[in-house]
Amino acid sequence: MLKLPIYLDHNATTPCDPRVVEAMIPYFTEAYGNAASRNHPFGWKAEEAVDYAREQVAKLINADPKEIIFTSGATEGDNLAIKGVFEMYATKGNHIITCNIEHKAVLDTCKHLEKEGAEVTYLEVSDKGLVTPEQVEAAIKPNTILIALMYGNNEIGTLMPIREIGAIARKHGVLLFTDGVQAVGKIPVDVKADNIDLMAFTAHKMYGPKGVGALYVRRKNPRVKVTAQMDGGGHERGMRSGTLNVPGIVGFGKACELAMNEMQQDAERLSKLRDKLEGALMQLEEAYINGDPAHRLPHVTNISFKYVEGEGLLMGFNKDIALSSGSACTSASLEPSYVLKALGLGDDLAHSSLRFGLGRYTTEEQIDYTIEAISKTVTKLREMSPLWEMYKEGIDLNTIEWAHH
Amino acid sequence: MAYSDKLLDHYNNPKNVGTLDKSKNNVGTGLVGAPECGDVMRLQIEVDENGVIADAKFKTFGCGSAIASSSLATEWLKGKSIEDAIKIDNMVLVEELNLPPVKIHCSVLAEDAIKAAVNDYRKKNGLEEIQFEESVVH
């Protein structure tokens, strides 16, 4: 029997794997020591657990455990990496290269630094949502200190050519930071092979708990340092003060270990389900895939259904299926997704998009139900869409003088 | 965001979806909004010889609140004279559907659509178009 509602919003967050929760529980009630308490068994036990988790996390990305700085999540990691590098390397330069579809935690951090004297280049992505290594290389200047580009995009799932960009960064002696939130745990990410110098990622996107993440900071070739953004006890090699979230870190470690072991089979299974979903929905007229089908995460797709509005579409099934839309009819600005707009999508297509993020517990039965529900709602809403009627009558919508609001 | 039952009912079972023959002299059409804004509403009225709205139809591209606002507006219009129709206040729709603040623009759009449909009818029938004050909330 199919249980409703169905969760297909795994880019927003994932459920905790029960094996993760099980690993965490003793650290709330029994081994509750402070990992920084060096003088009694409670502290030792907590420190031991953190050390073990640090190994699990490091192994997943082919890093050394000493290169893992635990944080509260990826927003903190993004802030710490970008602001920390900007302050630490101030004498080397002030130029940062990023792109226009980064997460807000990166874009707004860059904007913040612009007020403090940073010079930021926002590379424009292609209509598929990618920047090329050539674009990056062309943007490098003598005062460039950091390239900040995401590994995988949260809305469209496209994967940047990080390995090639890493090689360029290395060649020019510029640091590479990547927001690995959507990619780590879903596809193999190797900080050594990719020449990544700093990378933020978080537990709750890979079946771990919310409120804990990590920043990878390279220690060798080159040794990278960031200026701490919070003052305090000097935890995490002085880069991130604050009592460690021991149960969260234990859960994060377990989630990384599970991802390491199960990533490949999860990815193979989910890409088949994703392709089935996408193939069926693309049977609808005037449906368009956003992003790059050749370079993207295995469990993600983003589709626009022209002539229906995304939020109106969601209302047709959102009590049964959890999805998100690129439409932002609820926001005060009424602006659709800046990511989709950056691909050059017209506002009409950007308003008409749905984002699907499949996950470890997604079943074929759920996908079949979703295909049915969405196809039915799209058809129904098109029957009541004046734009669909005009399209069917062969009227070019661009020739109409719209009363803009 | 939780929507009211009434709003959900208008979304799930919209009243008066359809198209009237806009070539007819007694049919007025209002098309408001823009695809870029995520809302386009087309509202049509058919007026009888006594100046009373005998039928009203809509088609809307937009969110659930926009669809519900237009559905409710067509229901509200039927049986009204064209003079009374333009007295509509969007706040009636807001209250009836319990629209949240971010959705008030949907009701304004419905109000604008009604006024545009009435003016289209007046123009077709040699009557002077009415100048409305610019709506403020969008």
Side-chain angles (χ1 to χ4, degrees):
Chain A
M1 186 60 194
L2 181 65
K3 206 175 129 218
L4 297 174
I6 295 164
Y7 189 74
L8 290 179
D9 201 13
H10 289 86
N11 292 19
T13 192
T14 56
C16 254
D17 190 303
R19 294 168 290 182
V20 166
V21 179
E22 199 187 334
M24 290 170 70
I25 286 174
Y27 294 92
F28 288 103
T29 51
E30 293 161 27
Y32 48 80
N34 186 326
S37 298
R38 293 274 155 78
N39 301 311
H40 54 66
F42 293 87
W44 301 335
K45 187 94 197 280
E47 191 184 18
E48 195 183 306
V50 168
D51 286 346
Y52 186 64
R54 209 184 290 282
E55 279 176 32
Q56 290 170 312
V57 173
K59 203 171 163 199
L60 178 64
I61 60 168
N62 194 24
D64 185 281
K66 293 195 190 78
E67 298 176 310
I68 300 298
I69 306 295
F70 286 115
T71 64
S72 63
T75 291
E76 187 191 339
D78 289 342
N79 272 267
L80 176 56
I82 300 171
K83 290 175 181 168
V85 164
F86 179 72
E87 289 176 27
M88 182 61 72
Y89 295 86
T91 53
K92 271 197 77 189
N94 66 339
H95 181 226
I96 298 168
I97 298 169
T98 185
C99 82
N100 56 353
I101 63 165
E102 290 293 313
H103 191 270
K104 284 285 182 192
V106 169
L107 287 176
D108 287 1
T109 299
C110 287
K111 293 211 178 89
H112 176 96
L113 290 180
E114 280 182 290
K115 285 183 210 150
E116 311 213 327
E119 181 189 346
V120 182
T121 300
Y122 300 90
L123 298 175
E124 289 186 10
V125 295
S126 69
D127 58 356
K128 301 263 190 218
L130 296 172
V131 299
T132 62
E134 294 74 31
Q135 255 179 304
V136 176
E137 187 156 34
I140 294 174
K141 305 197 283 189
N143 61 336
T144 306
I145 49 171
L146 182 68
I147 296 165
L149 290 170
M150 66 200 329
Y151 212 107
N153 183 269
N154 48 311
E155 287 193 36
I156 52 178
T158 46
L159 294 166
M160 295 284 183
I162 289 295
R163 188 160 296 184
E164 291 77 7
I165 292 167
I168 286 167
R170 187 54 45 89
K171 187 171 108 187
H172 292 270
V174 173
L175 297 178
L176 172 64
F177 162 70
T178 187
D179 176 343
V181 168
Q182 299 291 343
V184 174
K186 312 293 174 51
I187 57 167
V189 172
D190 181 330
V191 292
K192 288 201 178 84
D194 289 347
N195 283 319
I196 294 166
D197 296 308
L198 303 113
M199 177 167 72
F201 52 114
T202 192
H204 78 99
K205 308 277 195 199
M206 53 165 116
Y207 311 96
K210 292 167 184 61
V212 57
L215 179 66
Y216 159 78
V217 183
R218 179 179 284 276
R219 283 189 86 211
K220 267 199 300 215
N221 308 316
R223 183 182 179 88
V224 179
K225 287 174 94 178
V226 294
T227 305
Q229 299 298 306
M230 282 198 293
D231 297 315
H235 307 73
E236 299 297 275
R237 294 169 47 222
M239 288 190 247
R240 202 278 187 177
S241 288
T243 296
L244 291 175
N245 170 5
V246 178
I249 288 167
V250 167
F252 188 15
K254 184 70 187 176
C256 287
E257 181 193 300
L258 295 173
M260 185 96 189
N261 296 336
E262 297 172 15
M263 180 191 309
Q264 195 184 343
Q265 68 194 58
D266 275 356
E268 281 169 17
R269 191 179 71 84
L270 293 179
S271 70
K272 279 197 196 108
L273 287 181
R274 187 268 316 269
D275 293 347
K276 179 178 188 183
L277 172 73
E278 192 174 80
L281 294 178
M282 289 302 289
Q283 296 295 312
L284 292 163
E285 277 179 83
E286 293 293 306
Y288 300 89
I289 296 173
N290 300 314
D292 188 346
H295 302 97
R296 63 176 170 173
L297 293 162
H299 57 290
V300 180
T301 184
N302 187 308
I303 307 177
S304 285
F305 302 94
K306 212 171 175 185
Y307 311 114
V308 293
E309 196 274 332
E311 202 194 327
L313 185 54
L314 283 180
M315 198 185 265
F317 45 77
N318 64 4
K319 65 177 199 311
D320 296 330
I321 307 169
L323 280 179
S324 72
S325 164
S327 165
C329 202
T330 41
S331 79
S333 68
L334 305 182
E335 277 290 307
S337 150
Y338 67 93
V339 173
L340 297 179
K341 289 195 73 176
L343 308 187
L345 256 69
D347 282 349
D348 51 344
L349 275 176
H351 274 296
S352 303
S353 71
L354 294 182
R355 173 183 84 173
F356 302 86
L358 282 57
R360 191 172 281 167
Y361 308 105
T362 304
T363 64
E364 183 152 18
E365 197 184 12
Q366 293 179 332
I367 294 299
D368 290 339
Y369 183 92
T370 303
I371 292 169
E372 173 83 20
I374 293 179
S375 305
K376 230 171 77 187
T377 311
V378 168
T379 306
K380 180 183 163 185
L381 289 185
R382 279 182 174 168
E383 275 161 21
M384 61 170 103
S385 165
L387 304 180
W388 179 250
E389 187 183 300
M390 291 175 196
Y391 163 70
K392 283 286 164 186
E393 286 172 355
I395 297 169
D396 179 359
L397 296 178
N398 296 320
T399 61
I400 296 177
E401 250 186 70
W402 299 103
H404 285 265
H405 282 261
Chain B
M1 185 175 355
Y3 289 101
S4 69
D5 289 345
K6 186 143 191 178
L7 187 151
L8 290 171
D9 186 46
H10 272 285
Y11 170 84
N12 288 314
N13 309 294
K15 311 293 184 301
N16 310 310
V17 174
T19 308
L20 297 172
D21 182 357
K22 63 172 183 263
S23 67
K24 280 163 74 175
N25 254 350
N26 66 334
V27 169
T29 302
L31 180 67
V32 297
E36 300 89 272
C37 308
D39 285 311
V40 176
M41 221 175 255
R42 190 193 64 198
L43 193 144
Q44 295 182 297
I45 50 171
E46 188 171 323
V47 183
D48 69 13
E49 58 277 15
N50 303 317
V52 172
I53 296 168
D55 201 3
K57 297 272 186 216
F58 83 93
K59 281 201 175 184
T60 290
F61 161 86
C63 62
S65 302
I67 290 168
S69 294
S70 24
S71 169
L72 180 62
T74 52
E75 282 211 306
W76 184 86
L77 281 170
K78 284 196 204 178
K80 291 251 178 347
S81 70
I82 56 165
E83 286 78 23
D84 284 346
I86 55 171
K87 289 180 192 152
I88 183 169
D89 180 350
N90 75 293
M91 288 314 285
V92 174
L93 301 174
V94 172
E95 279 162 27
E96 190 94 343
L97 296 170
N98 202 6
L99 293 179
V102 290
K103 295 296 182 186
I104 289 177
H105 70 276
C106 297
S107 68
V108 175
L109 206 59
E111 180 185 323
D112 288 350
I114 292 172
K115 290 171 173 172
V118 169
N119 260 344
D120 183 55
Y121 168 81
R122 291 179 66 92
K123 198 170 141 191
K124 276 180 168 175
N125 291 277
L127 300 166
E128 197 185 332
E129 286 181 64
I130 300 167
Q131 297 298 316
F132 294 105
E133 272 178 55
E134 193 74 19
S135 305
V136 189
V137 193
H138 281 290

